[in-house]
Amino acid sequence: MLPLERSLQQIFPQTRKYLKPEAWDRFRSRVEGLENPEALFDILDGFPFDPEGPAFLPDLSRLEWAIQQTRTPAADANPEPDDWTVNPGLQLLSLSFRNLTRQLEEPDQRLEPEAGEEMVLVWRDPRSTAVRFRPARDEDLLALKMILEEIRPEEAALAGGVTPGETEAALWRAAAEGILIAPRTRIRRDPASFADTAITDPEFLEASFFTLQWHITQVCDLHCKHCYDRSRRSPLTLDQGTRILEDLQRFCREKRVRGQISFSGGNPLLYPEFNALYRAAAETGFRTAILGNPTSRDRLEAIRAIQEPEFFQVSLEGLARHNDAIRGAGHFDRILEFLPLLKELGIYSMVMLTLTRDNLEEVIPLAELLRDKTDAFFFNRLAQVGEGANLRGPSREEYAAFLEAYLEAAAANPLMGLKDNLTNIVHYRKGIPAFGGCTGYGCGAAFNFLTLLPDGEVHACRKLPSLLGNVLESSLTEIYESEVARRYRGGTEACRGCPIRPVCGGCLAVAYGKGLDIFQERDPYCFL
């Protein structure tokens, strides 16, 4: 007897709807006598369901059977391969009718499939274990072909007349859906440095993304009172920038992560070759984001035509009077005029605030004012570095009270996001699940994040002097693997044994701004 875990009527609910009772009885008697489940596909292809019934029934029954097979434990394999591989539970069906998947997605509707060949994917998501199915897209078939036939993204791009970035992105999108299994990332927390904590979830210990925050120019149309660095630095040429993109691509492949470039400055849009460099980044396969100042519709449309940014981040430092005292007269109004443009063009917008003692009381009112104007609102604490040394931060007690108030307000305002690592102290004390902190992994300095300055200097974090090397002299891999980089991503010794260290580690820049030894002393605002 065929070892079916469910009754046939549960396995073939839509097929059953179209069969007359006598035809269903014939079908059931043939299927229940099978000893080899694999033979069922042959029976379904040749079974005389009902001469007067729908011609698509054989394909519909094959699709329902494939879904049942995918539900079984045999399809649960969740390997950690050394290289890209196809999900072992994936099935690719060649059907003679289109839109059959809609029969299962909308079972209460009588939807008539159309005659015509369609490839359908059926698989079990290796993370959620949910069974998924849908028509295969050309991109899915390309990704499968590259892995099964061991075709490099560059070769596939040449054959298909597209950019290598498009072919590589197809692999990552297939992996995000669980169609492919990506190799395990090599960007992982050091077990020795992050032992004895309450956070053991791999989500916070292994990074699948790597961000290069690229300050491509020091030129800026603002002069903010808390600017970390107003030094003169000669920008790289477009040719040098292109070589850096190639180096970053090699780094990401070696580390088995997908890369993102956050273009910043100064104002990155003032870099003369911005569009060309942005295009090169997109064509190389990187996700892109912009941290800048308001610009024109034409400029945004040109950028969006190349590749839609993951987000466009602007800054506000409080309500109008305080913000303009920090960033310049009229800046507040320019931001509020710019945000609707981003929304109209469908570009995800973020507003960032630098928290000081002077704007502490304006944060929540500002977030409320922005509720329907932007997609997300975050804050970072002031690091008293550069010109920021002239401003004041709140006291530790004031900051702890502020966090409580912020979290309470955030519960009613979905715009308000969480970024500061110390927020996890409040979560920990209240038994609330941890969030990823500043970069998704607590302090991500030299872990899943590096800063590249206009002259090629690489720093662990932009908010403090943290020189690791120069891309004009060393590769990103060499810089990342250097002893000084390891020291930064190891964080401070004072946090060893802290139960929330993988999602916290404080802020090295804030500690530096207070004159502390960032490798030995903890964040002065820590209240755990």
Side-chain angles (χ1 to χ4, degrees):
M1 297 291 288
L2 184 65
L4 300 178
E5 296 181 1
R6 305 181 180 194
S7 73
L8 290 176
Q9 192 159 328
Q10 288 176 302
I11 297 171
F12 300 99
Q14 290 302 303
T15 301
R16 176 69 183 88
K17 283 184 180 181
Y18 288 100
L19 286 178
K20 296 177 181 178
E22 58 272 19
W24 175 253
D25 289 340
R26 289 198 309 272
F27 176 74
R28 186 174 57 189
S29 64
R30 289 284 298 275
V31 171
E32 287 183 338
L34 282 178
E35 294 185 0
N36 178 13
E38 302 301 324
L40 184 56
F41 272 116
D42 295 331
I43 288 180
L44 295 177
D45 274 335
F47 185 78
F49 286 95
D50 187 344
E52 298 178 0
F56 58 77
L57 270 185
D59 277 355
L60 179 61
S61 61
R62 289 180 62 221
L63 177 56
E64 289 191 300
W65 176 238
I67 291 170
Q68 166 60 20
Q69 284 187 304
T70 308
R71 287 193 179 105
T72 63
D76 272 344
N78 184 19
E80 292 183 350
D82 291 329
D83 205 345
W84 289 88
T85 188
V86 175
N87 184 330
L90 178 77
Q91 295 190 59
L92 179 61
L93 305 181
S94 178
L95 305 179
S96 301
F97 286 83
R98 293 190 291 267
N99 301 325
L100 280 172
T101 55
R102 293 186 61 195
Q103 291 275 336
L104 307 183
E105 293 166 345
E106 304 175 56
D108 295 332
Q109 303 294 322
R110 280 282 183 169
L111 303 169
E112 193 68 24
E114 302 173 2
E117 184 179 0
E118 184 171 72
M119 306 294 285
V120 172
L121 296 169
V122 182
W123 75 101
R124 189 182 184 98
D125 190 300
R127 294 167 295 271
S128 69
T129 72
V131 174
R132 303 181 62 188
F133 54 88
R134 61 167 173 77
R137 300 186 289 255
D138 289 344
E139 180 180 275
D140 304 320
L141 300 176
L142 171 63
L144 290 169
K145 182 179 178 69
M146 281 194 287
I147 300 309
L148 292 172
E149 299 182 17
E150 299 182 352
I151 301 172
R152 298 178 68 248
E154 292 83 359
E155 297 169 341
L158 186 62
V162 296
T163 67
E166 291 176 274
T167 55
E168 189 145 7
L171 294 178
W172 285 108
R173 284 191 286 267
E177 288 198 79
I179 296 168
L180 299 180
I181 309 293
R184 185 182 177 190
T185 174
R186 288 175 173 164
I187 294 185
R188 310 172 197 168
R189 287 298 191 190
D190 177 12
S193 297
F194 287 79
D196 302 323
T197 76
I199 309 294
T200 59
D201 190 333
E203 174 188 357
F204 301 125
L205 300 172
E206 300 184 2
S208 58
F209 272 87
F210 181 85
T211 297
L212 182 70
Q213 188 182 81
W214 192 347
H215 296 255
I216 56 178
T217 180
Q218 292 288 84
V219 177
C220 189
D221 43 340
L222 302 176
H223 191 144
C224 304
K225 291 185 178 179
H226 62 301
C227 186
Y228 301 121
D229 183 5
R230 295 290 297 184
S231 63
R232 293 183 179 275
R233 295 175 184 268
S234 299
L236 300 171
T237 65
L238 179 59
D239 184 59
Q240 289 173 316
T242 302
R243 290 200 296 271
I244 289 169
L245 292 173
E246 294 169 354
D247 186 26
L248 178 60
Q249 183 186 57
R250 284 191 295 271
F251 172 85
C252 289
R253 287 181 177 176
E254 290 170 5
K255 297 301 180 184
R256 299 169 174 171
V257 292
R258 190 168 183 193
Q260 173 173 303
I261 299 175
S262 294
F263 288 101
S264 186
N267 182 356
L269 300 181
L270 297 180
Y271 176 65
E273 301 285 354
F274 176 83
N275 281 26
L277 185 61
Y278 187 88
R279 181 182 298 278
E283 291 180 350
T284 309
F286 296 114
R287 293 169 59 163
T288 49
I290 299 172
L291 287 65
N293 298 332
T295 189
S296 68
R297 173 188 289 272
D298 288 346
R299 192 76 193 273
L300 283 176
E301 288 178 342
I303 290 169
R304 190 167 177 263
I306 297 170
Q307 177 167 285
E308 185 167 321
E310 293 296 310
F311 60 86
F312 193 117
Q313 178 180 299
V314 294
S315 295
L316 285 174
E317 308 307 335
L319 300 175
R321 179 179 295 181
H322 179 77
N323 176 82
D324 289 2
I326 298 294
R327 290 189 168 266
H331 177 265
F332 188 87
D333 289 340
R334 287 198 299 275
I335 294 294
L336 262 62
E337 292 170 1
F338 182 61
L339 291 174
L341 177 58
L342 292 173
K343 186 179 289 289
E344 182 183 339
L345 295 177
I347 298 173
Y348 191 93
S349 66
M350 292 169 50
V351 173
M352 178 64 71
L353 174 143
T354 299
L355 188 73
T356 67
R357 175 175 288 178
D358 297 326
N359 66 7
L360 201 66
E361 300 299 324
E362 298 191 12
V363 175
I364 296 173
L366 175 63
E368 188 61 34
L369 184 150
L370 294 172
R371 182 186 281 262
D372 61 347
K373 295 178 174 61
T374 187
D375 294 300
F377 172 81
F378 297 93
F379 72 86
N380 270 326
R381 279 175 290 144
L382 170 73
Q384 292 174 287
V385 177
E387 295 183 12
N390 298 319
L391 302 181
R392 304 176 303 162
S395 69
R396 181 166 56 187
E397 293 71 26
E398 288 171 333
Y399 181 62
F402 165 79
L403 276 184
E404 293 278 1
Y406 185 90
L407 286 171
E408 182 178 350
N413 186 349
L415 183 74
M416 300 170 67
L418 306 180
K419 186 173 178 66
D420 192 289
N421 291 332
L422 298 189
T423 310
N424 272 314
I425 297 177
V426 181
H427 281 205
Y428 178 69
R429 286 178 167 176
K430 295 185 175 182
I432 301 172
F435 79 103
C438 184
T439 66
Y441 307 88
C443 177
F447 176 60
N448 68 318
F449 177 94
L450 285 174
T451 292
L452 175 60
L453 300 189
D455 57 2
E457 282 190 1
V458 177
H459 288 247
C461 175
R462 183 66 177 106
K463 293 166 62 179
L464 78 159
S466 48
L467 181 63
L468 305 178
N470 193 300
V471 289
L472 301 181
E473 302 168 359
S474 307
S475 70
L476 280 170
T477 298
E478 292 170 331
I479 292 170
Y480 185 87
E481 296 297 346
S482 67
E483 187 56 40
V484 63
R486 293 176 189 272
R487 194 176 185 196
Y488 273 102
R489 63 176 162 267
T492 175
E493 287 292 318
C495 289
R496 279 190 180 270
C498 175
I500 61 170
R501 188 178 188 195
V503 291
C504 188
C507 178
L508 300 181
V510 171
Y512 177 91
K514 292 291 188 180
L516 303 178
D517 181 340
I518 63 172
F519 298 118
Q520 296 296 326
E521 299 178 88
R522 67 176 180 170
D523 186 321
Y525 286 89
C526 178
F527 52 92
L528 183 61

